[in-house]
């Protein structure tokens, strides 16, 4: 029994926020239901955000939005999102992601949603990783 419990704990993926620094900076987080992945390419300069659902697909809708709840609530929306060919991933790109980064850093929960789908991301532990993501290009991230 003890070996089974240890193997289950060791075999369970961590659901921590993680920033990586390189030529392209990344910020990623996975839950049991979905993953969120941001990139910043200073050569472009361009930010991308991808939300991938694990069990249910996105549908084609006129807009995509994110709501951040907590001490500094923010809601943003765009009609400029795209779906992956398999429709499990929804992506957005832009030259600035300041509101997204503020939402991730200063709040407790993030909701990525369209008219008929919603995906939730707890923001526990996100703030230090968001700061790494912001700083990874010499503090040039907005």
């Amino acid at each position: 029994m003890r070996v089974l419990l240890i193997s289950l704990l060791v075999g369970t993926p961590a659901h921590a926020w993680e920033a990586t620094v390189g030529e392209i900076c990344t910020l990623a987080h996975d839950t049991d239901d979905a993953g969120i992945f941001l990139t910043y390419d200073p050569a472009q300069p361009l930010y991308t955000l991808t939300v991938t659902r694990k069990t249910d697909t996105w549908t084609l809708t006129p807009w995509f939005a994110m709501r951040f709840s907590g001490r500094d609530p923010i809601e943003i929306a765009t009609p400029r999102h795209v779906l992956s060919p398999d429709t499990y991933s929804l992506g957005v790109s832009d030259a600035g992601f300041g509101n997204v980064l503020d939402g991730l850093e200063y709040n407790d929960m993030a909701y990525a949603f369209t008219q008929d789908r919603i995906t939730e991301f707890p923001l526990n532990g996100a703030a230090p990783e968001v700061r790494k993501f912001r700083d990874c290009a010499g503090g040039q991230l907005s």
Side-chain angles (χ1 to χ4, degrees):
M1 179 70 165
R2 178 189 244 172
V3 172
L4 176 62
L5 181 59
I6 291 171
S7 67
L8 286 173
L9 291 174
V10 172
T12 303
H15 294 299
W17 286 87
E18 183 178 1
T20 60
V21 176
E23 288 185 37
I24 295 178
C25 306
T26 66
L27 178 65
H29 180 66
D30 278 314
T31 69
D32 291 336
D33 299 320
I36 186 168
F37 187 73
L38 288 83
T39 66
Y40 176 68
D41 182 352
Q44 303 267 342
L46 184 68
Y47 292 91
T48 67
L49 173 125
T50 304
V51 178
T52 302
R53 296 169 63 92
K54 295 179 181 176
T55 59
D56 190 16
T57 61
W58 293 100
T59 58
L60 187 58
T61 59
W63 53 263
F64 165 71
M66 291 196 74
R67 179 179 300 133
F68 302 95
S69 64
R71 66 183 172 108
D72 189 18
I74 300 170
E75 186 168 324
I76 53 178
T78 181
R80 300 181 313 167
H81 61 289
V82 295
L83 298 180
S84 64
D86 67 3
T87 67
Y88 280 94
S89 296
L90 182 149
V92 178
S93 60
D94 201 339
F97 264 22
N99 285 338
V100 173
L101 298 177
D102 287 349
L104 294 171
E105 185 172 354
Y106 302 119
N107 289 288
D108 302 319
M109 184 68 79
Y111 304 92
F113 62 99
T114 61
Q115 289 92 328
D116 62 354
R117 301 282 192 273
I118 188 165
T119 301
E120 300 177 3
F121 295 98
L123 299 177
N124 304 11
E129 297 302 305
V130 173
R131 285 190 291 277
K132 286 182 199 174
F133 182 80
R134 286 184 193 263
D135 293 341
C136 74
Q140 299 175 16
L141 301 178
S142 59

